[in-house]
Amino acid sequence: MSIVRIANCSGFYGDRLSALKEQLEGGEVDVITGDYLAELTMLILGMDTLRDADLGYARTFLRQLEGTLGLALDKGVKIVTNAGGLNPAGLATQVQKVAAELGLDAKVAHVEGDDLRAANLFDGALTANAYLGAFGIASALTRGADVVVTGRVTDASVVVGPAIAHHGWTPTDHDALAGAVVAGHVIECGTQATGGNFSGFTELFRAGAPMDKPLGFPIAEVAADGSSVITKHAGTGGAVTVDTVTAQLLYEIQSTRYLNPDVTTRLDSIRLRQQDADRVEITGVTGAPPAEQLKVAVNTLGGYRNQVEFVLTGLDIDAKAAWLRAQLDPQLTAAEVTWAQTPARGGDSETEEGASVILRCIGKDAEAGPLGKPFTGPAVELALASYPGFTMTTPPQKPSPFGIYRPEYVDRSAVEHTVVHHDGSREVIADPTEFAGPEELDGDLGKRPSPYPAPADTITRRMPLGTFVHARSGDKGGNANLGLWVKNDGSDKYEARVQWLAKIVKDRKVRELVPEADELDIDVYVLPNLGAVNVVIHGLLGDGVAASTRFDPQAKGLGEWVRSRIVHIQEDLV
């Protein structure tokens, strides 16, 4: 069966610069893709354009390309990246300049049409980008492009596009497209598929995986039917296992339906199998037509923020905090002031750090003024006039702007998905003609109750949830996403553990495990095929990562916290 080998070299703006070279030199690949855009990244790029309208793209991509473009052209490896951000045409021009300086003849195309700022559809939008699909990328490759630069396509589209171009799929090949979306979702975040940010990392160490080396970036071998094998180059660090792949599959999804501009992917159809060492097979994926509207990522300027941190040590921690707050609160003029304190660790510590807590004061306002000297000055002035042992963690900082993210939706007629081919010609990509019905887009699909019978009464033990459960968590705007699944350790108790997990994780249990979610809406979706449940906690992160005052504004550590919580586990499952 014909396959196309699609590698990843970036999971975020700031990822390992050497990854593109590593993927080119480490073995055979056909296409190398890079994902640079997140909700926060679009805000950062939007800030860049306020300073210089010619910016708005991920500049590190050019540094990656300088030492690798010649080798990619020599090997016939195509490069597809969404590093164009808010200015794909500008980045494409810069890529051509790099090629010219290196004496190379590179055919560079770019995809545009996602940027809706000029349409003035959303009040106060600093950025407003529709998520485009993969057929523009596919057309650019089919017409001979060596490098394709895009703006805000979906993360998976940089993988789906090359698969379309290689296999000749049409917009109605929904199962194949869905399979490629899954492959793209697995590799889009780079080394998160090969052992990075993985709750079972100690098991990889024990299994002898080369965790002392830089983790290898993933590769998807995509077949003509949309099935794939996730792997990495031999000799690189990390591992590709069913659990590392599951971790990324559950990352920042919502329901059992994963909506992409080209296809609706049924996550409850995925089947995983460890084919060989560092090779995980993905099969069985089915898809349906896409949704009629396109999602739009909108960022607005929310105002300014600043913070000061105090160290409280030893005895009378609560009294010290109360006195400091009583001294500072009346002097602060910011519109919003939030206090947060880390828990005390207990008495008689053998280190000063162990006897200390951090008290954080965060201010937010529509204007920068109240967060400059009027915010930091009163704090500094208390250095000799407040609690004993007064210490601040850093010198006073200047206020910084923050943004607010929100998702919106537009009709496809508001977006002109356009490819500017390497020869300068322009092509508008046609919209799909078939769309998903309400039964496929039902947000209750896969929600609890679970498909399993209630367990019989049995003896239980109080143990951490993570005894045999892995987790991966993250953010979707102001919502936190928490994926939990039973580890694939070969235990004959696996099926019983999956049933137990699906039964215990309900909205009430989530509120017990995450008390700050007590008043929030919670959705729980069951994915028996992955031995998993996916939890969406609405509003846990406020207005999103840039505006959140939460200790963990992107919920990256939420899963590890939940795994550490004590629950009652049936004794026969341990």
Side-chain angles (χ1 to χ4, degrees):
M1 183 182 293
S2 172
I3 63 167
V4 57
R5 293 161 294 193
I6 306 172
N8 170 276
C9 73
S10 175
F12 68 101
Y13 189 9
D15 213 339
R16 196 161 83 222
L17 286 174
S18 60
L20 178 53
K21 185 177 182 181
E22 292 166 15
Q23 293 291 54
L24 279 169
E25 295 180 343
E28 292 301 313
V29 296
D30 300 303
V31 184
I32 297 179
T33 64
D35 177 19
Y36 296 78
L37 303 182
E39 294 158 0
L40 179 61
T41 312
M42 299 303 286
L43 174 64
I44 292 170
L45 296 178
M47 298 288 194
D48 283 350
T49 62
L50 293 180
R51 294 187 294 270
D52 185 343
D54 290 332
L55 295 178
Y57 52 80
R59 286 169 282 177
T60 54
F61 172 68
L62 294 172
R63 292 176 58 192
Q64 288 182 294
L65 207 59
E66 287 169 356
T68 57
L69 182 57
L71 180 59
L73 293 173
D74 288 344
K75 299 185 73 170
V77 175
K78 308 294 186 179
I79 297 174
V80 179
T81 176
N82 63 12
L86 297 176
N87 188 5
L91 180 57
T93 298
Q94 294 300 317
V95 172
Q96 291 167 334
K97 287 182 179 179
V98 169
E101 291 169 358
L102 296 172
L104 301 172
D105 180 19
K107 298 180 176 65
V108 183
H110 71 272
V111 177
E112 60 186 30
D114 59 296
D115 193 342
L116 300 181
R117 287 176 293 180
N120 294 318
L121 298 174
F122 311 104
D123 291 340
L126 174 65
T127 71
N129 295 80
Y131 286 84
L132 301 182
F135 279 89
I137 295 169
S139 180
L141 292 171
T142 302
R143 290 271 294 269
D146 300 309
V147 180
V148 182
V149 172
T150 78
R152 181 67 280 192
V153 297
T154 65
D155 297 345
S157 288
V158 297
V159 172
V160 180
I164 293 170
H166 182 84
H167 294 301
W169 297 334
T170 70
T172 57
D173 289 322
H174 297 131
D175 289 349
L177 292 169
V181 165
V182 171
H185 181 57
V186 171
I187 74 169
E188 71 192 28
C189 289
T191 53
Q192 281 197 160
T194 61
N197 198 16
F198 172 50
S199 60
F201 75 102
T202 59
E203 296 161 15
L204 299 183
F205 273 95
R206 286 195 295 270
M211 303 299 287
D212 56 332
K213 297 181 180 180
L215 300 188
F217 277 71
I219 300 166
E221 299 175 352
V222 184
D225 62 356
S227 63
S228 63
V229 172
I230 307 301
T231 186
K232 64 184 184 69
H233 285 319
T236 58
V240 180
T241 71
V242 169
D243 281 329
T244 67
V245 170
T246 302
Q248 181 56 28
L249 279 173
L250 293 175
Y251 184 59
E252 296 181 351
I253 60 172
Q254 301 284 295
S255 72
T256 60
R257 296 296 183 268
Y258 194 51
L259 307 184
N260 258 250
D262 300 316
V263 66
T264 298
T265 301
R266 299 179 179 123
L267 298 179
D268 50 6
S269 66
I270 299 170
R271 296 292 182 270
L272 303 179
R273 183 178 70 89
Q274 192 77 44
Q275 188 186 79
D276 207 338
D278 294 325
R279 292 182 64 82
V280 171
E281 182 183 62
I282 303 176
T283 59
V285 185
T286 63
E292 197 160 358
Q293 289 190 312
L294 294 176
K295 182 180 177 181
V296 181
V298 178
N299 280 295
T300 58
L301 288 176
Y304 293 82
R305 62 185 293 164
N306 204 349
Q307 72 178 44
V308 287
E309 289 185 345
F310 306 91
V311 181
L312 313 178
T313 304
L315 303 176
D316 307 317
I317 293 291
D318 290 341
K320 290 171 180 175
W323 186 21
L324 178 62
R325 292 184 60 168
Q327 290 176 302
L328 269 184
D329 275 337
Q331 300 189 66
L332 302 180
T333 60
E336 180 184 332
V337 175
T338 303
W339 292 85
Q341 181 177 320
T342 59
R345 306 187 193 181
D348 197 23
S349 172
E350 294 185 357
T351 66
E352 181 180 341
E353 184 178 6
S356 303
V357 304
I358 299 294
L359 179 63
R360 185 180 298 111
C361 178
I362 305 168
K364 294 167 67 175
D365 199 282
E367 304 295 332
L371 295 167
K373 282 286 187 181
F375 184 76
T376 59
V380 173
E381 291 167 2
L382 289 175
L384 306 179
S386 189
Y387 64 89
F390 182 102
T391 305
M392 296 177 66
T393 59
T394 63
Q397 307 293 313
K398 293 181 179 180
S400 58
F402 71 88
I404 295 175
Y405 164 84
R406 71 177 190 272
E408 297 281 359
Y409 295 86
V410 296
D411 292 335
R412 291 179 184 255
S413 59
V415 179
E416 192 169 83
H417 183 175
T418 303
V419 185
V420 181
H421 290 287
H422 66 86
D423 60 3
S425 62
R426 301 175 66 87
E427 177 190 2
V428 176
I429 301 300
D431 289 330
T433 57
E434 185 180 351
F435 300 103
E439 71 286 348
E440 198 66 49
L441 303 178
D442 184 354
D444 289 336
L445 284 172
K447 270 189 182 178
R448 287 187 51 83
S450 79
Y452 302 114
D457 290 339
T458 184
I459 298 174
T460 62
R461 294 167 61 181
R462 284 176 52 78
M463 303 180 72
L465 177 63
T467 299
F468 53 74
V469 173
H470 284 313
R472 171 67 63 79
S473 58
D475 63 317
K476 272 295 180 185
N479 301 336
N481 187 85
L482 170 64
L484 300 166
W485 74 101
V486 173
K487 64 178 64 174
N488 291 270
D489 58 1
S491 171
D492 59 3
K493 305 177 191 296
Y494 175 81
E495 292 296 339
R497 288 172 172 177
V498 170
Q499 292 190 30
W500 173 84
L501 180 67
K503 282 299 181 183
I504 193 175
V505 180
K506 58 187 75 172
D507 55 357
R508 184 177 63 191
K509 175 57 71 173
V510 174
R511 291 186 173 92
E512 291 177 14
L513 298 173
V514 186
E516 62 188 293
D518 187 52
E519 301 296 325
L520 302 177
D521 292 333
I522 296 172
D523 293 325
V524 179
Y525 297 91
V526 182
L527 292 160
N529 54 314
L530 300 177
V533 294
N534 192 62
V535 180
V536 181
I537 306 176
H538 295 269
L540 184 70
L541 308 179
D543 290 321
V545 55
S548 178
T549 57
R550 191 177 183 273
F551 165 71
D552 176 17
Q554 288 185 283
K556 297 296 187 183
L558 176 65
E560 289 304 288
W561 174 36
V562 169
R563 288 184 71 238
S564 74
R565 300 304 307 272
I566 302 299
V567 297
H568 289 276
I569 299 179
Q570 295 168 220
E571 192 170 56
D572 59 352
L573 299 182
V574 178

